[in-house]
């Protein structure tokens, strides 16, 4: 009895305590406190673990508040930039339209360039704001059941002008009756990004194909395929990182300059919906961008 008691008290109890703390720590619930373990090896182990845990927790707190400060800074800076840029854009388009008086062709060309660049800056700021909001967990998602075909047709409708100008055809396979539990506008934003990228990098006369199917794992798998230049295998991960651009659209293309933030935003939004995103591609063989959505019926 004495041996059993000693073994339990000296070995199993401290181990149990340690393992309970480790589990708490894993779920961010670690309450730091020194117990006064006996001067055994286990006691020493527990003390070391306690101080290590405290150090990690302090670093995590510091990182969290730095991240919060960064998001707040981005938010304020973006708002301050967006307002004047919107008024610059308004003025430029008034000048460009000739309402303020005739301007000569070379002047009109310069105004057009300034307008395009202002547009790009506004897009960049909107993208930065979106990303900052998602990271700060301040992007409220309005989940509801929506028809999948409805989301796709609305997205394709919005990109019709772009596809027409680029002479690229968009094909979408309907999935009648399928509904997804998502934030409609945010999933439309993801689809818009993938389809507009596909259009941007596609040669004239080619097609972009959108499909949706339920996989063996029980999730909805959406694919956007194109016949563009493709992406080298070593770049497939990189395109989801901020400001990474591995291909440039054909010169003179309507969507010449992107922000390099579209895919990181799409990735964050898909993750907010509990899904995953990726790309399968080979140079010269087009790309298949895909994402999954777990909630469908
Ligand atoms: P942006 O399109 O604004 O540059 P994204 O984050 O949407 O930024 O895309 C990042 C990069 O990934 C693009 O600049 C391009 O190099 C590559 N990319 C994205 N989609 C495609 C595609 N369909 N075909 C080839 N390259 C692509």
């Amino acid at each position: 009895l004495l041996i059993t008691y000693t073994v339990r008290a000296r070995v199993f109890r401290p181990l149990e305590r340690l393992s309970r703390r480790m589990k708490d720590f894993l779920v961010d619930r670690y309450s730091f406190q020194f117990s006064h373990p006996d001067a055994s090896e286990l006691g020493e182990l527990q003390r070391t673990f306690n101080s290590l845990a405290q150090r990690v927790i302090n670093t995590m707190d510091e990182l969290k508040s730095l991240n919060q400060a960064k998001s707040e800074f981005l938010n304020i800076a973006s708002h301050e930039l967006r307002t004047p840029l919107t008024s610059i854009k308004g003025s430029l388009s008034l000048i460009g339209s000739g309402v303020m008086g005739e301007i000569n062709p070379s002047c009109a060309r310069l105004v057009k360039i300034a307008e395009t660049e202002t547009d790009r800056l506004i897009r960049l700021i909107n993208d930065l704001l979106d990303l900052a909001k998602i990271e700060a967990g301040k992007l409220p998602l309005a989940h509801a059941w929506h028809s999948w075909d409805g989301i796709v047709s609305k997205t394709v409708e919005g990109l019709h002008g772009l596809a027409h100008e680029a002479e690229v055809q968009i094909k979408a396979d309907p999935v009648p009756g399928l509904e997804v539990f998502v934030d409609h506008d945010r999933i439309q934003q993801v689809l818009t990004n993938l389809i507009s990228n596909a259009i941007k990098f596609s040669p004239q006369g080619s097609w972009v194909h959108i499909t949706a199917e339920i996989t063996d794992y029980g999730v909805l798998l959406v694919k956007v395929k194109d016949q563009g230049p493709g992406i080298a295998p070593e770049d497939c991960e990189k395109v989801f990182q901020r400001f990474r651009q591995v291909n440039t659209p054909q010169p003179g293309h309507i969507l010449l300059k992107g922000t390099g933030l579209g895919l990181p935003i799409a990735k964050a939004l898909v993750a907010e919906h509990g899904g995953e995103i990726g790309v399968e591609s080979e140079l010269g063989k087009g790309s298949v961008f895909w994402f999954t959505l777990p909630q469908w019926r």
Side-chain angles (χ1 to χ4, degrees):
L1 267 176
L2 190 64
I3 291 171
T4 315
Y5 176 79
T6 318
V7 169
R8 280 191 63 147
R10 288 191 166 261
V11 180
F12 291 115
R13 294 245 169 79
L15 270 183
E16 264 167 33
R17 267 205 306 273
L18 193 57
S19 117
R20 219 178 307 128
R21 279 193 185 166
M22 283 179 173
K23 278 181 195 150
D24 278 355
F25 184 50
L26 279 177
V27 292
D28 246 2
R29 229 184 21 223
Y30 186 78
S31 58
F32 177 69
Q33 47 167 286
F34 272 110
S35 55
H36 297 284
D38 22 302
S40 66
E41 259 180 72
L42 276 172
E44 188 59 36
L45 188 63
Q46 184 162 344
R47 260 198 306 275
T48 314
F49 174 75
N50 273 342
S51 46
L52 267 178
Q54 188 58 47
R55 214 181 296 167
V56 174
I57 283 169
N58 289 348
T59 316
M60 263 163 42
D61 285 347
E62 205 177 317
L63 282 177
K64 271 186 202 159
S65 60
L66 279 175
N67 200 31
Q68 176 78 13
K70 184 205 73 182
S71 299
E72 274 164 24
F73 167 75
L74 258 180
N75 223 337
I76 293 165
S78 307
H79 275 302
E80 294 302 321
L81 286 170
R82 199 157 49 163
T83 320
L85 274 173
T86 314
S87 88
I88 293 172
K89 183 182 150 56
S91 310
L92 285 170
S93 59
L94 269 181
I95 298 170
S97 67
V99 181
M100 314 301 293
E102 273 298 298
I103 50 170
N104 66 45
S106 49
C107 189
R109 201 164 43 83
L110 287 178
V111 171
K112 187 81 207 142
I113 294 172
E115 220 184 319
T116 313
E117 290 303 312
T118 317
D119 266 342
R120 197 169 88 83
L121 271 177
I122 293 173
R123 271 206 318 275
L124 179 64
I125 287 163
N126 285 340
D127 283 355
L128 279 171
L129 260 177
D130 270 357
L131 213 52
K133 270 194 219 145
I134 300 172
E135 280 179 353
K138 284 189 185 153
L139 190 84
L141 292 183
H143 277 82
W145 286 105
H146 295 282
S147 140
W148 175 249
D149 284 348
I151 298 181
V152 174
S153 62
K154 207 153 173 235
T155 313
V156 172
E157 225 173 87
L159 291 168
H160 183 73
L162 209 65
H164 182 73
E165 248 183 281
E167 293 177 41
V168 171
Q169 200 195 331
I170 307 178
K171 299 192 281 188
D173 289 0
V175 193
L178 176 68
E179 290 192 342
V180 280
F181 191 66
V182 294
D183 181 313
H184 183 288
D185 292 356
R186 294 302 173 177
I187 289 303
Q188 192 177 331
Q189 185 177 353
V190 173
L191 265 180
T192 301
N193 178 261
L194 298 187
I195 302 172
S196 65
N197 273 349
I199 297 174
K200 185 159 75 173
F201 294 101
S202 289
Q204 282 179 343
S206 65
W207 47 253
V208 170
H209 192 185
I210 304 146
T211 60
E213 65 192 274
I214 307 298
T215 68
D216 293 344
Y217 300 104
V219 294
L220 177 69
L221 173 66
V222 181
K223 290 182 181 169
V224 177
K225 303 180 199 172
D226 67 51
Q227 297 176 305
I231 298 170
E234 65 272 19
D235 289 332
C236 283
E237 288 271 315
K238 289 185 198 152
V239 294
F240 292 97
Q241 295 166 7
R242 292 162 199 206
F243 304 113
R244 285 300 191 112
Q245 295 175 311
V246 297
N247 281 318
T248 34
Q250 329 226 315
H253 200 287
I254 26 162
L255 274 178
L256 193 57
K257 282 183 187 155
T259 62
L261 285 175
L263 288 176
I265 291 176
K267 184 175 179 175
L269 287 176
V270 169
E272 289 282 302
H273 283 82
E276 287 177 60
I277 193 167
V279 58
E280 275 163 27
S281 185
E282 249 181 82
L283 275 181
K285 297 210 170 149
S287 313
V288 181
F289 276 84
W290 59 264
F291 66 94
T292 57
L293 291 174
Q295 285 178 289
W296 58 273
R297 69 182 180 192

